[in-house]
Amino acid sequence: MAEQLPYRLPRTVVPHRYQLEFHPNLSQGVFWGRAEIAIEVLTPTQDIVLNAVNLTLENVVVHAEEPGKSWPASVAYKKEEEQAVLRVSAPLASGTWTLSLEFRGVLGNDLRGFYRTTVKGTNGDEIIASTQCESTDARRIFPCWDEPDFKATFAITMVVPEPLTVLSNAHETSSMLDAPGMKRVSFAETMPMSTYLVALVVGPLELTVPRTVRDVPVRIAARPEFMHLTRYAHQAAVDALAFFESYFNIPYPADKLDHVAIPDFAAGAMENLGCVTYREEALLLDENQASAMEKMQVVSTIAHETAHMWFGDMVTMRWWNGLWLNEAFATFMQMLATDALHPEWNIWTHFGLGRAHAFAVDGLASTRPIEYPVGPPSEAWAMFDVLTYEKGGSVLRMMEQYLGPEMFRQGVTTYLNQHRFGNTETGDLWQALGEVSGQPIRDVMDSWVFQPGYPLVQAVFSQDRVLTLSQKPFRYQGAGSGTWQVPVVLGIHQQDGTHDTRNVLLGPDPLTMTLPDNTAWVLVNQGGWGFYRVAYDAPLWQRLTQAFGSLTPLERLSIVDDVWAGVLADEIPVTQAIQLWRTMKDERDPNVWNLVADHIGLLFSMADKSGQQALQEFVRHIAHPVLAEVKWEGSPDEDVSQSRLRAVVIRLLGTLGADEAVRAKARQRFISYLEKSMSIAPDLLNAVVMVVADTGDEEQWEVMYQQFNDAATPQDAVRYLYALADFPDPLLAQRTFDLCLSSEVRVQDGSYAIGRALRNRHVRALVWDLVEEHWDALLAKYPPFMLQPLVTPVAAIVEEHLASRTAAWLQSHPIPEASRQITQTLEFQGIHQALARRIHGHLSEWVRG
């Protein structure tokens, strides 16, 4: 018999149905409620053990099926285990019972559990209360079996002040007066689901008129002053639901779908069944003023959460080690849906930027497998990272491309049908894909999911036309371990213009093949879908770079990222990266430009003065030809890529490029924009604001601060808050930091703004001083799980004294929820310091050479 782990609930009693009633008092910040839970006793017991945190349980009674038979129970709390033990006055026999009790709790301010946030409304301050239960915070709202595989149905009632809007997972079945000024609102019973998907929202919100998809009503909820910003999201929500019903060929599993904008929200969004909650900027926008990137965020976030209704809500991981199945699949599906709905965005190439981040983290010694054992529920926090989302999504995309999209879709539908309303392990998905495809999916995928890192595929071409592929683990420093079953898609291009594609599975042993006599060049990882890096020998590399412009944008992005990784690992000279960057004069994809800009920016941050001057000249050299072509003004019918490209080159020229003409034009346009004498294209506005802030003074800081205060949209509020962190003056950095500690900046935004200031090369030393000086104040305002944005910028600090200070501070001031990120950040810092030492005194010569 397996040992009973203290943080896991015993399996002696299981819930089947929760009847919950909540009475929140928004002004006093408390709530109370009552529960009737239909339970099944599997093993005779006198103790019922469930989860409860910061709740007071009262009037606990267990009722038998026979009328009039009931037994009271005492309550003992196990704080460390986040459990309550209900000792019934008589042993309970196997069978069905009803547990009834009352509970009291506090509406928190830490964006978890049942929490409240205060907003400025038309009638003064107003309070909105909402829930965030994932991963293990339902236990802060009501006593429950708060583990994913204890699925049950939920019938929820809320008693609230009469004018307020109330939302939950299912449709409203009744609303009646309960007491003077109060109403009782009841909701239908849900499908069986995990506790982390329970949603309660109450506050002064309005709802759009529902639109239906196969009789499922779809609505958007927001504050009244933002209702004019809901149209775009409403259309996206309808389109996403229709897409997924068609893709899965399985009806939507709930009875309605609300998308709710919450003013203070820790994550981007949360897939509560039928009642998805969002940060306001991830849901609401003015479609006439929003940039393509802002629209992309709304559509892809809605698609991500809608995909979860099937993959996560209807079929759920058994325990938190399987979280990647939920999130990686939703990440993959959001891209698939967004690409289908908006092919003009080239979303898969944009996804390459997120994948590049996953590649970077996964090249560290401190990386982790996509799936690994999760012990106490608190350890689930570490699963919500780039490896779960972007690496997991990338691995699924790699498999989809290898099997073929239709075969993959059929396998997913089979998986969902086999486990509808149930819980699964990772192997269940591989089994379904294997059944449909007839291929050894588990053998291939286990190497990607259960071991950390990824391979570097080495390609060598001999004089007798033999191509040899081999693999080794990629690591920035030191040697990795492991081998993978690598689905390689090989592109062989001949001198006469013909093309051959070969799909091969590269295992531990080298793989050889003879190529045609007239082979012109070879591309390993054709399409750019594989989650592996490629290293070419000199002859192959020379041929490939000559054909660079004929590759797809994602293929070019992958090669650029591979080369930079080789530089960081000290396996490729910096000069090879610089030589590749010179081709950017001919590059027209904004995603490739964004990646190169990041790499140059990192190099700039660690360079000495002469190296920085050389890089500024280099940026102007490669970016000016592009700006000369795309110009400051676009045509009304230009594609999205060109408008995004214009923004990235102007931003790069005006910041790293230190181009005075671009800076002057940005300032002039920004002034005219504020005076309403000139419009700025939505895609260009962020770039202009960043350029102005990069060399801005106090007067311009005040202007942007006023824009932040007067923001008409959630996007404007974020845009100008982040811009305040970009100013180069230390005194202004101090003001921005103080602002982020004040009540003017929401909890959801402030740590990101401070993190941005830490990335600001002009003021990062001062900002770090402020972080240390105000550490207690930061902990008082920001929940520990929201301090990660303060951690990751430390990786770019390479100055010896400041780097050692930051490392010592983070090691002596642990943040358990970000412990893995801290370890990874400090490892990155060491890697960057090693590169800084290699380029010292040489960069200027290499850049100008």
Side-chain angles (χ1 to χ4, degrees), residues 722-784:
Y722 288 0
L724 295 176
D726 291 344
F727 281 75
D729 186 335
L731 293 177
L732 299 178
Q734 168 87 60
R735 292 182 65 183
T736 301
F737 186 92
D738 292 343
L739 180 68
C740 291
L741 283 181
S742 76
S743 59
E744 290 185 71
V745 172
R746 296 199 172 282
V747 173
Q748 68 171 16
D749 298 322
S751 60
Y752 289 93
I754 295 172
R756 185 157 174 148
L758 278 171
R759 297 182 191 276
N760 184 335
R761 64 188 184 276
H762 302 292
V763 299
R764 61 186 175 195
L766 166 77
V767 175
W768 184 258
D769 289 343
L770 295 172
V771 167
E772 289 190 6
E773 181 182 346
H774 297 279
W775 186 255
D776 290 343
L778 288 168
L779 292 177
K781 177 168 181 177
Y782 298 105

Side-chain angles (χ1 to χ4, degrees), residues 5-9 49-53 77-84 139 377:
L5 299 170
Y7 51 84
R8 297 295 298 269
L9 296 173
V49 185
L50 40 61
N51 294 115
V53 175
Y77 300 96
K78 300 172 71 174
K79 185 175 181 180
E80 292 299 316
E81 292 82 5
E82 300 187 344
Q83 295 170 356
R139 63 191 65 180

Side-chain angles (χ1 to χ4, degrees), residues 477-660:
Q477 293 178 333
S481 62
T483 58
W484 291 260
Q485 295 293 316
V486 189
V488 175
V489 181
L490 194 67
I492 303 167
H493 300 258
Q494 277 119 37
Q495 292 170 357
D496 60 4
T498 58
H499 168 79
D500 181 27
T501 297
R502 298 187 191 180
N503 287 13
V504 297
L505 196 61
L506 174 63
D509 298 324
L511 187 119
T512 61
M513 65 192 78
T514 301
L515 302 185
D517 287 337
N518 64 343
T519 297
W521 51 277
V522 175
L523 176 64
V524 183
N525 196 10
Q526 179 177 284
W529 307 116
F531 196 80
Y532 52 88
R533 297 198 186 280
V534 182
Y536 297 88
D537 68 1
L540 287 173
W541 176 252
Q542 184 178 7
R543 294 183 182 196
L544 184 59
T545 53
Q546 291 171 354
F548 196 66
S550 63
L551 306 181
T552 69
L554 184 56
E555 290 167 347
R556 298 196 301 271
L557 186 149
S558 298
I559 291 171
V560 166
D561 194 43
D562 288 350
V563 168
W564 181 248
V567 169
L568 288 178
D570 198 17
E571 293 186 356
I572 291 177
V574 177
T575 50
Q576 185 171 331
I578 294 170
Q579 193 63 35
L580 187 59
W581 295 343
R582 293 188 194 281
T583 67
M584 295 301 291
K585 291 181 294 184
D586 302 315
E587 179 60 63
R588 296 298 179 267
D589 184 83
N591 302 292
V592 180
W593 264 101
N594 267 309
L595 189 63
V596 169
D598 286 346
H599 296 164
I600 294 176
L602 181 60
L603 205 57
F604 187 91
S605 71
M606 61 180 65
D608 56 25
K609 188 172 183 180
S610 64
Q612 290 181 340
Q613 290 173 342
L615 282 173
Q616 288 171 338
E617 295 167 9
F618 181 79
V619 165
R620 295 195 291 269
H621 173 70
I622 63 173
H624 261 304
V626 182
L627 181 56
E629 179 181 314
V630 301
K631 301 180 174 51
W632 277 78
E633 298 290 345
S635 61
D637 59 346
E638 73 177 3
D639 63 28
V640 171
S641 290
Q642 182 153 322
S643 62
R644 288 183 55 212
L645 177 63
R646 176 182 301 109
V648 67
V649 295
I650 286 174
R651 171 177 62 83
L652 188 59
L653 283 166
T655 54
L656 284 179
D659 187 292
E660 289 303 329

